[in-house]
Amino acid sequence: MTHNIDTVLDTTGLLCPEPVMLLHKSIRELEVGNTIEVIATDPATTRDIPKFCHFLGHVLVSQAELNGQYRYCIQKA
């Protein structure tokens, strides 16, 4: 299933906690139901971003890793 991405947040090269802090700031600017794609290189995001979504009630639509790059599609709740 393909989702439309409303915004992209590239956190390549940033380390914990910066990717999640930037995600928190960016997701506040989205309309409910819109999606954001997060691109990261920090392996800690594989733990932190799903926990962020669970804690705040956002939907983690997809999560993938390819060649050391992590991609997340999150729908704002």
Side-chain angles (χ1 to χ4, degrees), residues 19-34:
V20 172
M21 289 172 55
L22 290 173
L23 172 59
H24 191 69
K25 180 179 183 285
S26 295
I27 210 162
R28 273 187 274 173
E29 298 168 4
L30 289 180
E31 301 277 330
V32 170
N34 282 3

Side-chain angles (χ1 to χ4, degrees), residues 2-37:
T2 304
H3 284 78
N4 292 333
I5 303 297
D6 296 296
T7 207
V8 175
L9 176 63
D10 187 352
T11 66
T12 301
L14 300 178
L15 299 175
C16 181
E18 290 176 289
V20 172
M21 289 172 55
L22 290 173
L23 172 59
H24 191 69
K25 180 179 183 285
S26 295
I27 210 162
R28 273 187 274 173
E29 298 168 4
L30 289 180
E31 301 277 330
V32 170
N34 282 3
T35 57
I36 183 169
E37 179 181 35

Side-chain angles (χ1 to χ4, degrees), residues 45-56:
T45 60
T46 60
R47 173 197 67 225
D48 296 342
I49 289 181
K51 283 185 177 182
F52 169 87
C53 292
H54 178 75
F55 183 72
L56 294 176

